[in-house]
Amino acid sequence: MIPSASNSEKENGFMTNNMRTRDIRRMILIGLIVALVSQLYWNIFINNFRISSSVIILPVLLMTLGKSLSTPLTCAVTAVIVFFFRLFPALHSGTSLLVSAKSVFPNAIFYFCYGIIFAAMVPGKHTVSYSRLFPAVFFADFGSNLVELCISESMSHSMTPDKAGYLFLIALFRTFLAGLIRMAEGHYRTL
């Protein structure tokens, strides 16, 4: 005879499943917000390389809506959503699936890398100070952009060292804006 679970075990199991569902929904929501905001981008300094405003909002979402979520998993979900969000318009323009996927793939890799770097530098989002958070945002942005650029440029064989300098400046600027938004959000919560 198999013992049956007590009511408290059933409730805990329900709470765990309910929490997982809520966490998955929040990850998808973060991914959708980032994908939508990523539609505001610039092609400056580097041809066919998007400089997106979504990277300004991503660390803010990770530290607020995604504070209790796994950063690498949240960024992986975001990467998949961004990949398909950008793939469909590319396919609609008449490009083949393989060519479209190849052009969009480096963008998705950016978010995977961002999640890994950010999680390595900010292992505890509940206790991180601004002095630790801002360098993490900067290095996650800069490092992920370097990886994305290396992948996309290796496909076209046009990598040059000056592009890394541009990425450094872009990461610095986006970190500054993300920091302002995060501090404003923190002050708002305090009030």
Side-chain angles (χ1 to χ4, degrees):
M1 183 172 170
I2 300 173
S4 63
S6 68
N7 283 340
S8 63
E9 290 172 342
K10 288 179 185 176
E11 289 172 7
N12 287 339
F14 175 74
M15 290 296 286
T16 304
N17 288 337
N18 196 15
M19 287 173 62
R20 283 187 202 137
T21 303
R22 189 179 75 228
D23 289 350
I24 291 168
R25 285 181 183 160
R26 287 192 354 227
M27 287 180 195
I28 292 170
L29 178 62
I30 289 170
L32 288 172
I33 291 169
V34 169
L36 287 171
V37 175
S38 74
Q39 296 310 298
L40 179 59
Y41 65 92
W42 302 269
N43 280 328
I44 55 174
F45 303 127
I46 302 166
N47 289 335
N48 298 322
F49 189 81
R50 286 184 174 197
I51 306 300
S52 173
S53 58
S54 64
V55 183
I56 297 167
I57 198 75
L58 179 59
V60 175
L61 291 171
L62 290 174
M63 294 302 297
T64 54
L65 189 60
K67 195 166 199 164
S68 63
L69 303 174
S70 162
T71 298
L73 187 56
T74 302
C75 288
V77 169
T78 299
V80 170
I81 291 171
V82 168
F83 177 81
F84 285 110
F85 206 83
R86 293 182 180 173
L87 180 66
F88 292 130
L91 288 173
H92 186 60
S93 69
T95 313
S96 73
L97 176 62
L98 185 60
V99 170
S100 296
K102 188 177 173 182
S103 70
V104 174
F105 176 73
N107 302 131
I109 291 298
F110 171 88
Y111 293 99
F112 280 114
C113 292
Y114 193 100
I116 292 167
I117 296 169
F118 191 87
M121 295 187 74
V122 180
K125 290 186 276 189
H126 292 282
T127 59
V128 68
S129 66
Y130 287 130
S131 62
R132 187 170 172 101
L133 177 64
F134 296 147
V137 171
F138 172 78
F139 285 113
D141 187 338
F142 182 59
S144 301
N145 264 328
L146 280 178
V147 171
E148 178 186 358
L149 182 66
C150 287
I151 292 170
S152 61
E153 296 294 305
S154 69
M155 292 178 191
S156 65
H157 307 292
S158 63
M159 182 68 175
T160 58
D162 63 323
K163 292 179 181 178
Y166 293 132
L167 294 180
F168 181 87
L169 294 174
I170 291 164
L172 202 58
F173 179 69
R174 291 194 296 201
T175 299
F176 173 74
L177 291 178
L180 284 178
I181 293 169
R182 177 65 181 113
M183 288 190 318
E185 187 272 336
H187 288 301
Y188 174 76
R189 284 183 184 267
T190 302
L191 291 174

